[in-house]
Amino acid sequence: MKKQTGESEPQWWMDIDPLAEIEQKADNKKVIETLEKYDQGQIQFSDDFFDQMHDRIMSEISKEEVQIQEQPLLERYRKKIHQAFTMMASLVVIMIAAETQTRMAEINVRETVEIAQALGNSSARFEHSLLTHQNPDDFFVDLGEESLNHLTQEQIHNLVADESQN
Amino acid sequence: MTEKTEDFTDLQIVERVKGGDKKAFSILVKRHQRGLMRLSVRFVKDIDMAEDVVQESFIKAYERLASFEARASFKSWLFQIAVNTAKNKLRERKEGTFDIQDVQLGIAPQAESTLVQTSVSQIIQKFVDDLPQRQKTALVLRVYEDLSFKEIADIMECPYDTAKANYRHALMKLKGDIETHQELQNWKEDVGGFVMEMTRRVVEADA
């Protein structure tokens, strides 16, 4: 059970400080106002300026060599090609991952079979290595065995009798 | 009663132009050339170059009209062409940063020296120009062109949230710059207005 300390645990939503948010918005507004106030880019051009520009653009467009270009086939299907390419790339990645996994599994099986075969070929050595293998449990078994060697026949009988009663 | 071509929407006009009515493109030019010029000046900081950007953008738009699929508005599509054209022009000129002297074309040296002093406007303009390109684009389109984030995202060819994030980062960076700049704390408030007025007069006289 949780210990009641009287202090509330910090909550993630406490990190969102509404005052800080308001402050941030006010700061942004101040910056925008400053930018607008000291804007140098509001250059006024006369109507004549734009009329001339318009005429120049239209005269360029009316030239024979300026034409609406046929959309290249590649461009027309750009989005679909992109989607297809992404899909293929994803598929290749998945296939590579699957292939790698299969290979790993094959290697594992092969190794196991090889070990089994090696053991089959020299079972005597296998037996020996298993028997000589020791772990902490083996140590206590050895210790117990050693203790039993020092007991008398009567003591052993008593122990067996106690064990069977339990 | 037949409807006037001037009343058509951009998309209707685009369809007409695609159908072979070259002259209808004139309406699109008239509708958008001012906005495009304003935007181009902000990016290239050179009136001659901005004119080239506008002209090239309209011609490119005309030539590529077949590829316009109306996923975004014609205006956004046109602005996207203009922003890319301006970037290319700047790259060609190997000059990514703004030099205030480029804007004041044909100004007499005395007047120029008066204007080029470290005014508030210039300092702020420098801050804007020092922003990373994408942040600057988002900021200019939002603050000065009053475009929606959807339109900005279309122009910048990025997701909506990215456009918004770029804009917010730009504002935060500018706030820090303005707050830490000593000269801005002491400057008279009307200096910016003075520079603006002078620039306007000079350009009008030059045109």
Side-chain angles (χ1 to χ4, degrees), chain A residues 53-166:
Chain A
M53 181 189 268
H54 166 268
D55 293 345
R56 272 200 310 276
I57 293 166
M58 287 314 290
S59 107
E60 281 294 315
I61 282 169
S62 62
K63 282 179 185 168
E64 202 57 38
E65 62 268 24
V66 181
Q67 294 290 336
I68 297 177
Q69 292 163 358
E70 274 294 307
Q71 201 182 2
L73 215 61
L74 196 71
E75 183 68 22
R76 202 178 305 166
Y77 296 110
R78 194 178 60 150
K79 203 176 174 191
K80 283 184 180 167
I81 291 169
H82 182 257
Q83 280 175 343
F85 181 78
T86 313
M87 209 181 275
M88 273 175 64
S90 313
L91 211 66
V92 167
V93 169
I94 292 167
M95 279 170 68
I96 290 171
E99 176 70 16
T100 313
Q101 243 178 350
T102 314
R103 278 194 186 178
M104 292 295 285
E106 272 176 11
I107 289 167
N108 278 345
V109 168
R110 205 183 310 139
E111 276 179 354
T112 314
V113 169
E114 278 172 10
I115 291 167
Q117 275 175 349
L119 291 175
N121 291 341
S122 53
S123 52
R125 247 177 84 189
F126 173 59
E127 224 168 79
H128 175 74
S129 49
L130 275 186
L131 288 173
T132 53
H133 177 74
Q134 261 197 330
N135 60 29
D137 296 336
D138 297 334
F139 170 75
F140 290 111
V141 170
D142 287 348
L143 201 70
E145 205 175 25
E146 193 74 14
S147 310
L148 282 174
N149 290 338
H150 296 290
L151 293 176
T152 60
Q153 284 280 31
E154 195 183 344
Q155 282 172 318
I156 291 169
H157 281 302
N158 286 341
L159 272 174
V160 173
D162 284 349
E163 190 64 29
S164 55
Q165 274 174 8
N166 288 334

Side-chain angles (χ1 to χ4, degrees), chain B residues 123-189:
Chain B
I123 295 166
I124 289 171
Q125 189 58 60
K126 178 82 172 66
F127 290 154
V128 173
D129 289 320
D130 286 347
L131 288 170
Q133 188 63 42
R134 292 183 76 76
Q135 288 182 21
K136 184 186 163 186
T137 307
L139 182 95
V140 166
L141 293 172
R142 180 72 180 159
V143 175
Y144 299 122
E145 296 303 322
D146 203 24
L147 297 183
S148 69
F149 286 115
K150 163 85 177 66
E151 288 173 308
I152 296 169
D154 287 337
I155 293 166
M156 291 173 68
E157 295 175 276
C158 67
Y160 178 94
D161 288 338
T162 310
K164 212 168 181 177
N166 273 304
Y167 170 71
R168 281 191 177 174
H169 284 134
L171 285 182
M172 277 159 66
K173 170 95 173 42
L174 286 176
K175 182 183 169 267
D177 288 342
I178 292 168
E179 279 177 355
T180 52
H181 201 283
Q182 193 54 46
E183 276 183 71
L184 292 182
Q185 315 297 321
N186 311 325
W187 209 267
K188 283 179 188 172
E189 287 207 338

